[in-house]
Amino acid sequence: TMLDQLRTHGKEVSVLVAHPKTLIDFALFVSQQESRFVALKELMPNLSVYVFTGYDISLQRTELAYVLGGLPNLKWMQWCYSPSGLLAWQEDVNIRQRLRLLDDGQVFYEFVPVEDVYADGRFVRNYRRYATDKIQLGQEYLLVVSTKAGLLGVSTGQVVKILNIEPLVVAMRGPVVRLCGMAENFREDGVLEALANINMALVSHGVFVREAIFGHMVAARTPTWLLEVSRPLGEVPQPLLESIAKWLHAEMDLRWEGYRKGFKEASIKPPQVHFVPMGSFAAAQTMQGEFSHFDHSPDAAMVKKIL
């Protein structure tokens, strides 16, 4: 196992590549095996570079700081890839969310304006599809890739924001598919930013949000949100949990016009915000395949499963 390998060869490891959620789950597994908290510096004392895969670590940043604590010279870098051919990496470790797209001729990139993509990821009729000579700085696009033969174009499902054209530099903005069963039109990157803001404010309280799923009861017109916190619920004051729920609603109201309009017109009821203790998501085995922070079922089936 990975733990056995690190116990034997951990001192030789200087670079680690892992998805943030995978690394956190591994650290929890190690701590359970040892019956104490184990920082990864005990297994990899010479680790100098952590390469995290995926488009964002805003939600996991607080917990990763604990897991990777005690490594003062550790550099964090981002690397995004997928079987579709997408490959992008962070060239400067000091500038987050600035990724260079591989442009060595093996992959041809095309860009579909996000306005031409439905909330479920389908393209509108007569959607626009641009090569790099037609894209604009600061705009967001759904990234499409094809091989140099050009026989088949594949949607990566990822939104990118153009930061530079020559060379091609982007910020990964996350999945294009949105939560919109009640026209709330949430996008995952904005939800994670909101949760990261809440976690920053919670630092002095010794608790943070580890994970979240946003769903809805469509027939009842009720948003149903589930947050996993880092401590047993009995140790977290109820007023603090209530303030987190109110703050999250305020963040969603500020960020998303569809949600704000529905709430103002009373077509969307006040959200039901549920809290669960650390480990609840993993126990419900929600981690099959690529994890999504959205429960698209009309009756919040995944939220109910975890509860």
Side-chain angles (χ1 to χ4, degrees), residues 1 3 54 63 70 101 112 118 176 206 214 225 246 255-256 299-300:
T1 66
L3 178 56
E63 192 160 9
L101 279 173
V112 178
Y118 290 119
V176 70
F214 288 69
W225 306 339
K246 291 178 181 177
R255 291 170 180 271
W256 308 111
D299 59 350

Side-chain angles (χ1 to χ4, degrees), residues 72-87:
N73 298 318
L74 181 67
K75 304 296 184 183
W76 297 24
M77 293 183 62
Q78 185 178 9
W79 178 32
C80 292
Y81 64 90
S82 77
S84 65
L86 167 64
L87 182 60

Side-chain angles (χ1 to χ4, degrees), residues 61-226:
R61 183 173 293 278
T62 301
E63 192 160 9
L64 281 173
Y66 288 110
V67 170
L68 296 172
L71 296 166
N73 298 318
L74 181 67
K75 304 296 184 183
W76 297 24
M77 293 183 62
Q78 185 178 9
W79 178 32
C80 292
Y81 64 90
S82 77
S84 65
L86 167 64
L87 182 60
W89 66 92
Q90 180 181 345
E91 288 190 311
D92 189 334
V93 296
N94 298 309
I95 306 177
R96 299 200 322 246
Q97 275 288 22
R98 187 177 178 89
L99 305 181
R100 172 79 178 271
L101 279 173
L102 179 68
D103 54 358
D104 61 355
Q106 299 300 311
V107 175
F108 183 71
Y109 296 105
E110 293 176 287
F111 303 83
V112 178
V114 290
E115 298 84 7
D116 292 357
V117 186
Y118 290 119
D120 62 2
R122 293 178 299 115
F123 298 134
V124 304
R125 187 175 182 179
N126 298 323
Y127 67 92
R128 294 164 290 176
R129 187 170 171 178
Y130 298 140
T132 53
D133 61 337
K134 298 295 184 182
I135 58 178
Q136 297 181 3
L137 286 175
Q139 298 301 306
E140 292 185 339
Y141 300 89
L142 172 63
L143 187 63
V144 175
V145 299
S146 60
T147 64
K148 58 184 179 181
L151 181 62
L152 182 66
V154 179
S155 169
T156 64
Q158 297 293 314
V159 175
V160 298
K161 182 177 181 179
I162 306 301
L163 302 180
N164 195 69
I165 297 177
E166 186 59 46
L168 191 53
V169 178
V170 302
M172 300 298 297
R173 302 299 290 160
V176 70
V177 177
R178 290 161 279 165
L179 184 69
C180 60
M182 300 187 304
E184 60 269 62
N185 214 23
F186 291 166
R187 214 171 78 176
E188 193 167 283
D189 59 317
V191 168
L192 295 184
E193 288 174 1
L195 291 168
N197 289 342
I198 292 173
N199 276 348
M200 289 179 61
L202 289 174
V203 169
S204 62
H205 295 277
V207 66
F208 56 89
V209 177
R210 298 188 69 247
E211 197 50 89
I213 287 184
F214 288 69
H216 43 217
M217 304 289 290
V218 175
R221 310 301 298 173
T222 303
T224 308
W225 306 339
L226 187 64

